[in-house]
């Protein structure tokens, strides 16, 4: 099963397995990763699942959609070129080894 590493704002790294087809947000909530809230349940409507994609097969990431693009302007922590909504990142085998960093705050 593909794996994703989450790096907390305290630099603690946690690697979890994410089933193909599941979103990173769902997997993080399931694994009790601190720093992902996912208040809207994954409908790209809250921006509390913001992550910074640090490394991995970046070409395999889906493009930022129209709704995601709008919500990324509403993140609590600074938006950068690495910003994504983890509820819009659905796991594929090609994304195995992805590393994402959690922002200092989601609310
Ligand atoms: S869970 Fe709400 S925008 Fe991702």
């Amino acid at each position: 099963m593909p794996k994703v590493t989450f790096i907390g704002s305290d630099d603690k790294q946690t690697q979890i397995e994410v089933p193909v087809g599941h979103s990173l947000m769902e997997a993080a909530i399931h694994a009790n990763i601190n720093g992902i809230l996912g208040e809207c349940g994954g409908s790209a409507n809250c921006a509390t699942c913001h992550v910074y994609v640090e490394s991995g097969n970046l070409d395999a990431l889906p493009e930022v959609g129209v709704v995601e693009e709008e919500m990324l302007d509403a993140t609590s922590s600074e938006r950068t070129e690495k910003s994504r909504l983890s509820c819009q990142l659905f796991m594929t085998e090609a994304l195995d080894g992805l590393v994402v960093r959690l922002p200092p705050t989601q609310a």
Side-chain angles (χ1 to χ4, degrees):
M1 197 180 300
K3 296 181 178 67
V4 175
T5 299
F6 290 84
I7 305 174
S9 54
D10 58 358
D11 287 332
K12 180 182 173 206
Q13 297 191 18
T14 307
Q15 187 179 65
I16 63 171
E17 293 186 328
V18 182
V20 169
H22 287 217
S23 75
L24 266 58
M25 181 278 287
E26 291 175 279
I29 297 282
H30 187 71
N32 293 317
I33 301 284
N34 280 332
I36 295 284
L37 302 182
E39 288 176 350
C40 75
S43 58
N45 201 31
C46 72
T48 64
C49 65
H50 179 204
V51 295
Y52 302 111
V53 178
E54 291 292 327
S55 63
N57 185 0
L58 304 185
D59 290 340
L61 290 171
E63 291 192 15
V64 178
V66 175
V67 177
E68 182 180 3
E69 176 64 38
E70 288 177 6
M71 284 313 298
L72 282 170
D73 283 336
T75 55
S76 184
S77 295
E78 179 188 8
R79 177 182 182 176
T80 75
E81 72 281 353
K82 296 179 179 179
S83 291
R84 295 298 303 258
L85 297 180
S86 59
C87 71
Q88 301 303 300
L89 300 178
F90 294 95
M91 202 62 196
T92 65
E93 291 290 350
L95 287 174
D96 184 30
L98 196 69
V99 178
V100 301
R101 181 176 286 278
L102 299 166
T105 180
Q106 295 281 16

